[in-house]
Amino acid sequence: MPLITSPWRQDFPGILALQADGQTYLDSAATAQKPQAMLDALLDHYRHGTANVHRAQHPPAERTTRAFEDTRAAVARWLNAARPSEIVFTHGATEAFNLLAYALESEFAAGDEIVISALEHHANLLPWQQLARRRGLALRVLPLDERGHIDLLQAQAIIGANTRLLAISQLSNVLGNRQPLPELLALARRHGALTVVDGAQGVVHARQDVRALGCDFYVFSSHKLYGPDGLGILYGREDALARLAPWQFGGEMLQEADYQWASFRAAPMGLEAGTPPIGPVIGFGATLQYLSSLDPLRVQEHERRLHQALLDGLSQRRGVVLLGTPDSALASFIVQGVHHADLAQLLGEQGVAVRSGSHCAMPLLRSLGHDGALRVSLGLYNDEHDLRRFFDALDQALEILR
Ligand code: PMP
């Protein structure tokens, strides 16, 4: 069998630096390394003189605003949104969910229900849970089947006339499996509910078409898609965005203001109060340009083969129990009789960076009967050597711990 190599590894100086430092990075679902193209763009931007966006007529401001708005257009193209104004920049995916939960608050009345699933990340759980508590709404939770997929039959019984909003993850950051989104979104639409998709993991491993998906809102973070941190993306279809009330107040989001009153701009500007993350947006533009230059089928095939090698290696080890049935570039597992934190510590000492804990999905881990698990997650720069180093370290750690 030929060794699986990554033709893109050289494009990521961070992964090479970690390697030179004896580190094997297998935690890309937490945050990804960055391509040289993004580093160059960030440095270029600051080196040539930055300026604030949308506020001034001077040439540096015009140049920066152009680069900033070009990225909005590039994100819209990347997601196949109908127009750039359907893209709102936030400071992270978490902020985008909080924005939605505040900006939609007036849509809800007593008796209304919000539906999420049992596998949601805290970022797509707590904002809805707290909204439900503020407004006296019911938060209903779609259960999973034994493979870790949202159970469609049960979803049909739960999503109904009282459902005002469905918020679900496309790809679980713990179980690593794609959820039956088209069916769930269609079900919610049939009942007139708004739909929010958490694409934080899904956007990384397949090109998205938000129009084909048919959701009202789609959320992700730049930093997991090889872009800078401090930047979240909220896509909203034009008519859905129009339903959002301003939620944060400050500079540039208003039309007119006096001491006692103000009027506000439409989205996206009306939802972007204050100075936005200018550098991260410009850096993310370069990341998208880099990603657009790659052959998506080749990337997909690389990730598929590497993921299969990860699953094969795990299945060959005694006592390893996978969580769910992962079909994308990560796998979470426990080892019977061994605590995940001890294992993670020994792996870390051997220079293997994997994540352990509840992965910001505590209710899910609890429902599976665990207080935590280890997670190995892959980026397009990983190769089979990384997996060999992980498995060698795992075998050694298990020898010590058993
Ligand atoms: N949803 C999922 C599925 C995630 O994996 C994450 C990040 N771990 C988030 C939401 C939140 O993203 P961020 O921390 O970048 O706001």
Side-chain angles (χ1 to χ4, degrees), residues 29-31 91-97 119-124 169-174 198-202 219-224 231-232 355 359-360 375:
T31 200
H91 294 88
T94 299
E95 191 182 76
F97 291 113
L119 53 71
E120 297 311 318
H121 187 280
H122 295 159
N124 192 33
S169 171
Q170 186 172 32
L171 168 59
S172 163
N173 64 310
V174 179
D198 176 355
Q201 299 292 340
V219 171
F220 68 97
S221 272
S222 140
H223 70 92
K224 292 181 201 277
L231 171 62
R355 170 107 186 256
H359 309 286
C360 299
R375 182 184 71 190

Side-chain angles (χ1 to χ4, degrees), residues 15 36 40 63 69 76 86 111 134 144 238 250 338 352 392:
I15 206 83
Q36 183 67 47
D40 291 343
R63 176 162 42 84
E69 288 304 323
E86 293 181 328
R134 284 198 301 281
L144 308 181
E238 191 170 46
V338 176
V352 174
D392 287 349

Side-chain angles (χ1 to χ4, degrees), residues 68-89 211 233-238 241 267-269 272:
F68 183 88
E69 288 304 323
D70 282 353
T71 298
R72 199 189 301 275
V75 176
R77 282 196 300 279
W78 184 259
L79 295 177
N80 196 30
R83 47 190 74 78
S85 58
E86 293 181 328
I87 305 300
V88 179
F89 292 128
R211 276 190 277 178
I233 280 85
L234 165 64
Y235 155 81
R237 215 185 40 250
E238 191 170 46
L241 275 186
M269 298 294 291
E272 294 177 358

Side-chain angles (χ1 to χ4, degrees), residues 24 45 49 295 297 339 368:
T24 301
H45 166 64
D295 176 352
L297 292 180
H339 197 272
L368 297 171

Side-chain angles (χ1 to χ4, degrees), residues 246-315:
W247 79 300
Q248 282 190 339
F249 301 90
E252 290 302 310
M253 49 79 68
L254 58 119
Q255 266 164 348
E256 271 191 90
D258 206 336
Y259 289 110
Q260 305 298 338
W261 61 267
S263 57
F264 305 110
R265 298 171 74 172
M269 298 294 291
L271 297 168
E272 294 177 358
T275 299
I278 301 168
V281 166
I282 289 171
F284 189 48
T287 292
L288 286 185
Q289 210 172 354
Y290 167 76
L291 292 176
S292 303
S293 74
L294 310 183
D295 176 352
L297 292 180
R298 236 177 127 199
V299 173
Q300 234 174 43
E301 180 60 9
H302 173 71
E303 289 194 354
R304 191 197 61 72
R305 290 177 66 207
L306 209 55
H307 188 242
Q308 193 55 53
L310 171 62
L311 295 184
D312 289 347
L314 286 173
S315 73

